[in-house]
């Protein structure tokens, strides 16, 4: 996983990943809403949503989300 570049904020619809504190594992997610310090996201493989700090969002290589329906 790579940190989002400092000049690029996540945007609505981005597919990325974050560490899920409840499950203690990295999860693929889709950005639903972006605020100054937080993003509201949907965990792709779980179907649940969460609010996480923007700095916790990581970029994904395209091969990690080619099979998303």
């Amino acid at each position: 996983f790579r940190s989002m570049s400092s000049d690029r904020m996540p945007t609505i619809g981005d597919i990325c990943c974050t560490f899920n504190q409840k499950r203690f594992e990295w999860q693929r997610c889709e950005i639903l809403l972006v605020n100054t310090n937080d993003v509201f996201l949907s965990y792709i493989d779980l179907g649940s949503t969460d609010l996480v700090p923007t700095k916790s969002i990581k970029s994904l290589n395209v091969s990690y989300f080619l099979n998303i329906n």
Side-chain angles (χ1 to χ4, degrees), residues 4-9:
M4 297 288 256
S5 64
S6 59
D7 60 337
R8 184 182 177 306
M9 288 287 290

Side-chain angles (χ1 to χ4, degrees), residues 6-32:
S6 59
D7 60 337
R8 184 182 177 306
M9 288 287 290
T11 57
I12 294 172
D14 280 355
I15 304 296
C16 45
C17 68
T18 191
F19 190 77
N20 184 322
Q21 295 291 332
K22 295 173 188 151
R23 296 177 63 98
F24 300 103
E25 62 187 10
W26 289 94
Q27 292 286 322
R28 297 184 300 170
C29 58
E30 179 180 3
I31 304 299
L32 302 177

Side-chain angles (χ1 to χ4, degrees), residues 7-67:
D7 60 337
R8 184 182 177 306
M9 288 287 290
T11 57
I12 294 172
D14 280 355
I15 304 296
C16 45
C17 68
T18 191
F19 190 77
N20 184 322
Q21 295 291 332
K22 295 173 188 151
R23 296 177 63 98
F24 300 103
E25 62 187 10
W26 289 94
Q27 292 286 322
R28 297 184 300 170
C29 58
E30 179 180 3
I31 304 299
L32 302 177
L33 182 66
V34 179
N35 294 321
T36 305
N37 298 313
D38 302 305
V39 295
F40 185 65
L41 54 81
S42 173
Y43 292 112
I44 293 167
D45 301 302
L46 302 175
S48 58
T49 57
D50 205 355
L51 183 68
V52 301
T54 303
K55 65 183 180 183
S56 72
I57 300 297
K58 306 293 183 195
S59 297
L60 277 178
N61 183 298
V62 69
S63 65
Y64 286 103
F65 56 87
L66 285 177
N67 64 350

